[in-house]
């Protein structure tokens, strides 16, 4: 069974926040997944809408799959690099702020 994927590297959002939204669409039809994401008020849903549409387009154009039979086989976010920043606090100290990034991947395949 062939599959198509789309990925986004160094998205400026924590992978923990992305994986919460990924759980909503894993195993769903592509149409249902995009409908769920469009009505989910999370910042990660914007990234995932684009990725699901891109993976579906890759499946249709590059692998010759039927667009109506596509299912989100896998959706996950891995940790990217962390940007370290300093926040000035009292007594001349500095607290570290970790600005995390994600590598997000969406894999689609045809229903069996």
């Amino acid at each position: 069974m062939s599959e198509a994927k789309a990925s986004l590297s160094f998205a400026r959002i924590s992978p923990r926040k992305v994986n919460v939204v990924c759980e909503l669409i894993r195993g769903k039809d592509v149409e249902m997944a995009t409908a769920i994401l469009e009505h989910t008020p999370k910042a990660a849903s914007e990234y995932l809408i684009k990725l699901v549409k891109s993976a579906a387009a890759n499946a249709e154009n590059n692998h010759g799959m039927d667009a109506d039979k596509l299912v989100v086989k896998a959706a996950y976010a891995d940790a990217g690099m962390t940007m370290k920043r300093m926040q000035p606090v009292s007594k001349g100290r500095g607290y570290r702020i970790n600005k995390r990034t994600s590598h997000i991947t969406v894999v689609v395949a045809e229903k069996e």
Side-chain angles (χ1 to χ4, degrees):
M1 180 171 77
S2 64
E3 54 188 36
K5 72 176 189 174
S7 61
L8 171 65
S9 296
F10 302 106
R12 252 305 280 125
I13 188 167
S14 168
R16 220 173 139 170
K17 294 177 182 178
V18 179
N19 278 320
V20 168
V21 183
C22 285
E23 289 174 15
L24 297 175
I25 63 168
R26 216 174 279 135
K28 303 273 193 312
D29 296 329
V30 169
E31 287 182 27
M32 179 64 82
T34 52
I36 290 169
L37 291 171
E38 285 171 358
H39 293 91
T40 303
K42 295 277 191 185
S45 61
E46 292 181 25
Y47 294 112
L48 286 168
I49 286 171
K50 284 187 174 184
L51 281 173
V52 168
K53 288 180 179 178
S54 178
N58 289 342
E60 191 175 354
N61 296 320
N62 300 343
H63 300 287
M65 295 184 206
D66 186 9
D68 298 328
K69 296 181 181 178
L70 292 177
V71 175
V72 178
K73 184 176 179 183
Y76 56 90
D78 297 322
M81 70 163 195
T82 302
M83 297 185 286
K84 281 98 176 173
R85 300 291 181 262
M86 296 300 283
Q87 171 75 39
V89 290
S90 63
K91 298 184 181 178
R93 295 189 178 112
Y95 284 171
R96 176 180 274 177
I97 295 174
N98 293 323
K99 296 188 177 244
R100 302 183 190 280
T101 61
S102 305
H103 302 315
I104 309 169
T105 307
V106 173
V107 180
V108 296
E110 282 188 325
K111 283 185 214 171
E112 293 179 358

